[in-house]
Amino acid sequence: MNKILLITTIVFFTALSFTQAQKFEGLAETPPMGWNSWNKFACDVNEDLIKETADAMVASGMKDAGYTYIVIDDCWHGERDSLGFIHPNKEHFPSGMKALVDYVHSKGLKFGIYSDAGWQTCGGKPGSRGREYQDAQTYASWGVDYLKYDWCNTEGLAAKGAYLTMRDALYEAGRPIVFSMCEWGTYDPWEWGEDIAHLWRTTGDIYNCFDCEYNHGDWSSFGVLQILDMQEGLRKYAGPGHWNDPDMMEVGNGMSVNEDEAHFSLWAMLASPLIAGNDLRNMSEETKRILTNKEVIAVNQDPLGIQGFKYQMEDSVSVWFKPLQNNQWAVCFLNRTKEEKEIEFDWKNEMVKDEINDLSPDFSSNEYNLINLWDKKDKSSTKKKLKANLKGHSVLMYRLEKKK
Ligand code: GLA
């Protein structure tokens, strides 16, 4: 009997020592949705802001629309203690991080935090380098559900190895945590990210403008169109559990309503994470309407998880398609200019094909109802040539429902 017990124990512990670290599976089968503090508040973060934002996410209907994660970005940090454990800034987070996470959870939401693979974060706070396992355990003990992991102050580090270390540390800590890599696309994370993270930034930081590049000296941030153009060629790397991340949204931060609608539509077409970056406590009705448009969100959250593609670009109007479940499609016409454009699109003459997934709407033999996702009154079908006027910096977006 004792012998059997001994053998079982040996087999059990041998098996345990061979358990490979991995990323947590099943956490981001559709692109993550939530809010992040950085775009609007930068380093000005505190526990009241986070609590009020969680309240607003519920009260505004955003939670019902699918937003889940409240992510606190850079600058929540205080100091490490004598044993190396990180603590939040005492003045701004007097109740401690665990209490804040509990509050967010009590609203039925999830909590995200931020760190950096280097010695210091981009905001000069303590980074996780050399403390990865300890920090991962701390986050798990606080009940964190999502980690955004940045890339400042990483001289001498190899990106893949650094992100792998944190992935393994999270796995060992044992709490399922969505892992968001933020190395700005520098080392082609789409090539090696799938086994490591659930999402990876593909570009430098977004800037609150539709068509601009903002030069900060030795780095730039980019407008919506600039970021959109940088997604070229990346769609084959995205899918359930592993997403290209063209950065958090600027909806509600000062662009025009048309521009915000276009920005939101394009992020939906790209199967991008939908992470709001505005002040949820003070949203205009327009901003709320845009961020909670359930039809557009459904395009983003479609279970196939296929990133859309640019089919055509003529006279600065680009046409995007995205295959959806049940033989449906989404289409988005984007006017990149400030001038109004007349568009004409004769469906039956268009040979639309998603080459990567071998899917085609085949307009010559199928008819689809057109459901306008921003203007409910507009009803039509692909039988008729589409003719429309598209205002500057705006989109026309439809779901295509196949007629039986
Ligand atoms: C980098 C990231 C941003 C934000 C800041 C915080 O610039 O790309 O998204 O997290 O750092 O300092």
Side-chain angles (χ1 to χ4, degrees), residues 228 231 233-236 238 244 266-272 299 305-311 319-324 329-330 354 356-357:
L228 179 70
Q231 310 309 309
L234 300 187
R235 65 183 296 260
K236 66 174 179 214
N244 289 314
L266 291 162
W267 264 227
M269 294 298 286
L270 291 173
S272 160
V299 168
I306 298 179
Q307 181 169 330
F309 58 94
K310 187 167 67 193
Y311 164 66
V319 187
W320 294 74
F321 279 87
K322 180 182 196 288
L324 305 176
W329 289 74
D354 174 352
I356 292 171
N357 299 289

Side-chain angles (χ1 to χ4, degrees), residues 182-193:
C182 179
E183 53 81 273
W184 320 306
T186 314
Y187 299 99
D188 302 344
W190 42 86
E191 300 269 7
W192 45 267

Side-chain angles (χ1 to χ4, degrees), residues 136-309:
Q137 276 177 16
T138 301
Y139 305 151
S141 75
W142 287 341
V144 166
D145 307 292
Y146 182 114
L147 172 66
K148 171 174 169 183
Y149 204 49
D150 215 338
W151 190 243
C152 278
N153 307 301
T154 51
E155 293 73 20
L157 278 186
K160 185 174 175 187
Y163 282 96
L164 204 52
T165 304
M166 190 42 116
R167 178 204 75 171
D168 291 356
L170 291 172
Y171 194 76
E172 179 152 320
R175 183 178 171 85
I177 289 182
V178 170
F179 192 30
S180 155
M181 299 199 293
C182 179
E183 53 81 273
W184 320 306
T186 314
Y187 299 99
D188 302 344
W190 42 86
E191 300 269 7
W192 45 267
E194 182 173 344
D195 292 337
I196 298 180
H198 302 93
L199 59 158
W200 47 80
R201 280 274 296 278
T202 53
T203 70
D205 289 4
I206 194 166
Y207 191 70
N208 186 26
C209 66
F210 198 71
D211 183 9
C212 77
E213 177 175 339
Y214 185 74
N215 191 325
H216 300 260
D218 53 356
W219 62 288
S220 279
S221 44
F222 304 97
V224 168
L225 288 185
Q226 283 65 29
I227 290 200
L228 179 70
D229 292 344
M230 291 178 213
Q231 310 309 309
E232 198 77 50
L234 300 187
R235 65 183 296 260
K236 66 174 179 214
Y237 299 103
H242 50 101
W243 308 102
N244 289 314
D245 173 8
D247 208 358
M248 305 159 310
M249 295 185 289
E250 292 282 13
V251 173
N253 279 342
M255 280 186 275
S256 73
V257 171
N258 282 344
E259 290 172 337
D260 273 352
E261 277 184 9
H263 174 23
F264 193 64
S265 303
L266 291 162
W267 264 227
M269 294 298 286
L270 291 173
S272 160
L274 293 182
I275 310 289
N278 58 314
D279 186 349
L280 302 193
R281 304 165 307 172
N282 299 301
M283 275 190 284
S284 68
E285 284 307 312
E286 287 292 19
T287 299
K288 212 185 293 181
R289 176 182 64 81
I290 294 170
L291 288 173
T292 59
N293 183 323
K294 291 190 180 162
E295 282 272 20
V296 176
I297 291 172
V299 168
N300 173 267
Q301 295 286 302
D302 184 82
L304 294 185
I306 298 179
Q307 181 169 330
F309 58 94

